[in-house]
Amino acid sequence: MSSKLSKTHNLAWRKFLVAHVMLIEQIEQDLAQAELPPLSWYDVLFALSEAPEQRLRLHELAEAVLLSRSNLTRLLDRLEAAGLIQREQCSSDRRGAFAVITNEGFKMLDQMWSVYGQAIEKYFACHLDANEVKFFIKILNRLTRATSTKSESY
Amino acid sequence: MSSKLSKTHNLAWRKFLVAHVMLIEQIEQDLAQAELPPLSWYDVLFALSEAPEQRLRLHELAEAVLLSRSNLTRLLDRLEAAGLIQREQCSSDRRGAFAVITNEGFKMLDQMWSVYGQAIEKYFACHLDANEVKFFIKILNRLTRATSTKSESY
DNA sequence: CTATAGTAGTTGCAACTGCAACTATCTCAT
DNA sequence: ATGAGATAGTTGCAGTTGCAACTACTATAG
């Protein structure tokens, strides 16, 4: 019953969606053109490279990458097949496994970043000055925090 | 050579991505919980409902919905099977077809909007006051305009 | 202990996606 | 007219996704 969504807010939402697809499409295209794997690979490699000991439990990784688990399983299969990560048994929990980034993985991470980083600059960052970017972050923080609770719809 | 992406801009980009997945996930969940079809259906129905005569050529629709054509073909198959749209031959171009929204389609559009609209309000709009939303739109416009030139469907 | 519930990760399946190849039609310079 | 090239939409295929069911193990209650 609350609703009463303003025209302007509605417009903002549509533009948000459009901006997202266009940017992602463009970036994926840049990566593909450089014969590099898709963004999802980057996300995994990046998360692992930042993690202590370059390794994460699979469920932690899934969380970090915002991916369902079944999805992550098969994404890791591909990365493992490409030699970019390895699975390692967890000694303290025999169900569990770590994903560990390999040297090859680090190399790929660098290669991808050289394209990805430039793309972010080219399509995104260069359009936001120092004040704007802070404002932008402030807003996005609010949006994510509100949703992060995973609250029921009440 | 230009690059030199600032930490802050990089952060903004990540938050943009995270905000997007979280919002979409949440909204899709709300729709699913109400036993309604996914957002992509809404987009098609909405575009058609706004169009003159409630119909669009398929390629116009694909453009409006930011979907590849092959994708749209099959999305429309599903919508047609569900009775929400119909295909109609184009008299002036025998290759072409229109998608037309049916009465059932309009009904579904309303049902979906009652959930979707509330969700936008609840997860997005309510976090932005009048000034902020304008600013947000201004930024998004810049981002899309910069990218828009290149996203032709080959 | 042992039963019960919970968690970690994988797998089967059906749906959805993008790309490239295909058919059919239209456009236009010759 | 006519043949080269563009455009409209569909289809085949291989890759990717989400969901639910499954195996294996852990944690907890009695």
Side-chain angles (χ1 to χ4, degrees), chain B residues 88-141:
Chain B
E88 265 181 38
Q89 251 233 344
C90 174
S91 52
S92 62
D93 184 341
R94 267 189 282 180
R95 294 169 301 184
F98 289 100
V100 193
I101 183 171
T102 63
N103 287 336
E104 286 295 304
F106 274 112
K107 257 198 278 183
M108 177 58 82
L109 184 64
D110 286 348
Q111 283 181 59
M112 292 189 76
W113 178 247
S114 88
V115 173
Y116 185 26
Q118 259 182 271
I120 298 173
E121 174 63 32
K122 189 163 50 170
Y123 304 124
F124 177 78
C126 75
H127 301 294
L128 303 175
D129 71 31
N131 283 326
E132 289 169 340
V133 76
K134 272 180 202 149
F135 193 85
F136 197 63
I137 289 178
K138 202 174 72 180
I139 288 178
L140 293 173
N141 275 336

Side-chain angles (χ1 to χ4, degrees), chain A residues 79-95:
Chain A
L79 285 164
E80 195 166 24
L84 306 178
I85 67 114
Q86 263 180 249
R87 276 178 238 240
E88 266 180 39
Q89 251 234 342
C90 174
S91 53
S92 62
D93 183 341
R94 267 190 279 181
R95 293 168 302 183

Side-chain angles (χ1 to χ4, degrees), chain A residues 20-49:
Chain A
H20 181 266
V21 282
M22 290 181 100
L23 289 169
I24 293 295
E25 255 172 31
Q26 182 64 62
I27 292 172
E28 291 283 16
Q29 205 177 298
D30 283 16
L31 285 169
Q33 206 156 339
E35 314 217 299
L36 292 169
L39 272 180
S40 52
W41 289 36
Y42 179 85
D43 285 347
V44 168
L45 294 175
F46 177 75
L48 292 178
S49 77

Side-chain angles (χ1 to χ4, degrees), chain B residues 68 70-71 74 78 93-95:
Chain B
S68 76
S70 67
N71 229 322
R74 284 174 281 216
R78 285 168 245 147
D93 184 341
R94 267 189 282 180
R95 294 169 301 184

Side-chain angles (χ1 to χ4, degrees), chain A:
Chain A
M1 276 283 126
S2 59
S3 55
K4 207 63 196 176
L5 182 61
S6 86
K7 273 260 189 267
T8 321
H9 283 91
N10 195 355
L11 182 67
W13 172 249
R14 308 208 132 252
K15 285 190 181 289
F16 179 68
L17 294 182
V18 171
H20 181 266
V21 282
M22 290 181 100
L23 289 169
I24 293 295
E25 255 172 31
Q26 182 64 62
I27 292 172
E28 291 283 16
Q29 205 177 298
D30 283 16
L31 285 169
Q33 206 156 339
E35 314 217 299
L36 292 169
L39 272 180
S40 52
W41 289 36
Y42 179 85
D43 285 347
V44 168
L45 294 175
F46 177 75
L48 292 178
S49 77
E50 294 276 284
E53 316 245 349
Q54 282 74 55
R55 75 192 50 213
L56 284 173
R57 286 293 293 270
L58 299 202
H59 64 276
E60 297 173 312
L61 187 51
E63 175 97 358
V65 177
L66 290 163
L67 220 56
S68 76
R69 295 193 179 174
S70 69
N71 228 323
L72 184 67
T73 292
R74 285 174 282 216
L75 178 51
L76 291 181
D77 289 347
R78 287 169 242 146
L79 285 164
E80 195 166 24
L84 306 178
I85 67 114
Q86 263 180 249
R87 276 178 238 240
E88 266 180 39
Q89 251 234 342
C90 174
S91 53
S92 62
D93 183 341
R94 267 190 279 181
R95 293 168 302 183
F98 289 100
V100 194
I101 183 171
T102 64
N103 288 336
E104 286 294 305
F106 274 112
K107 258 198 276 183
M108 177 58 80
L109 184 63
D110 286 348
Q111 282 181 61
M112 292 189 76
W113 178 246
S114 89
V115 172
Y116 185 26
Q118 260 182 270
I120 298 173
E121 174 63 30
K122 191 163 46 169
Y123 305 124
F124 177 79
C126 76
H127 301 294
L128 303 175
D129 71 29
N131 283 327
E132 289 169 339
V133 76
K134 270 179 205 151
F135 189 84
F136 197 63
I137 290 177
K138 202 174 72 180
I139 288 177
L140 293 173
N141 275 335
R142 248 185 269 153
L143 295 178
T144 19
R145 237 169 261 143
T147 333
S148 62
T149 54
K150 286 219 162 111
S151 63
E152 316 316 280
S153 58
Y154 117 92

Side-chain angles (χ1 to χ4, degrees), chain B residues 7-146:
Chain B
K7 272 260 189 268
T8 321
H9 283 90
N10 195 356
L11 182 67
W13 173 250
R14 308 210 130 250
K15 286 192 182 287
F16 179 69
L17 294 182
V18 172
H20 181 266
V21 282
M22 290 181 99
L23 288 169
I24 293 295
E25 255 172 31
Q26 182 64 63
I27 291 172
E28 291 283 15
Q29 204 177 298
D30 284 15
L31 285 169
Q33 207 157 339
E35 313 218 300
L36 292 169
L39 271 180
S40 52
W41 290 37
Y42 179 86
D43 285 346
V44 168
L45 294 175
F46 176 75
L48 293 178
S49 76
E50 295 276 284
E53 317 246 347
Q54 281 76 57
R55 76 192 49 213
L56 284 173
R57 288 292 295 270
L58 298 202
H59 65 276
E60 298 173 312
L61 187 51
E63 175 98 357
V65 178
L66 291 164
L67 219 56
S68 76
R69 292 185 185 183
S70 67
N71 229 322
L72 184 66
T73 292
R74 284 174 281 216
L75 179 51
L76 290 182
D77 289 347
R78 285 168 245 147
L79 285 164
E80 196 166 22
L84 305 178
I85 66 117
Q86 263 179 250
R87 276 177 240 241
E88 265 181 38
Q89 251 233 344
C90 174
S91 52
S92 62
D93 184 341
R94 267 189 282 180
R95 294 169 301 184
F98 289 100
V100 193
I101 183 171
T102 63
N103 287 336
E104 286 295 304
F106 274 112
K107 257 198 278 183
M108 177 58 82
L109 184 64
D110 286 348
Q111 283 181 59
M112 292 189 76
W113 178 247
S114 88
V115 173
Y116 185 26
Q118 259 182 271
I120 298 173
E121 174 63 32
K122 189 163 50 170
Y123 304 124
F124 177 78
C126 75
H127 301 294
L128 303 175
D129 71 31
N131 283 326
E132 289 169 340
V133 76
K134 272 180 202 149
F135 193 85
F136 197 63
I137 289 178
K138 202 174 72 180
I139 288 178
L140 293 173
N141 275 336
R142 248 186 268 153
L143 295 179
T144 19
R145 234 169 264 143

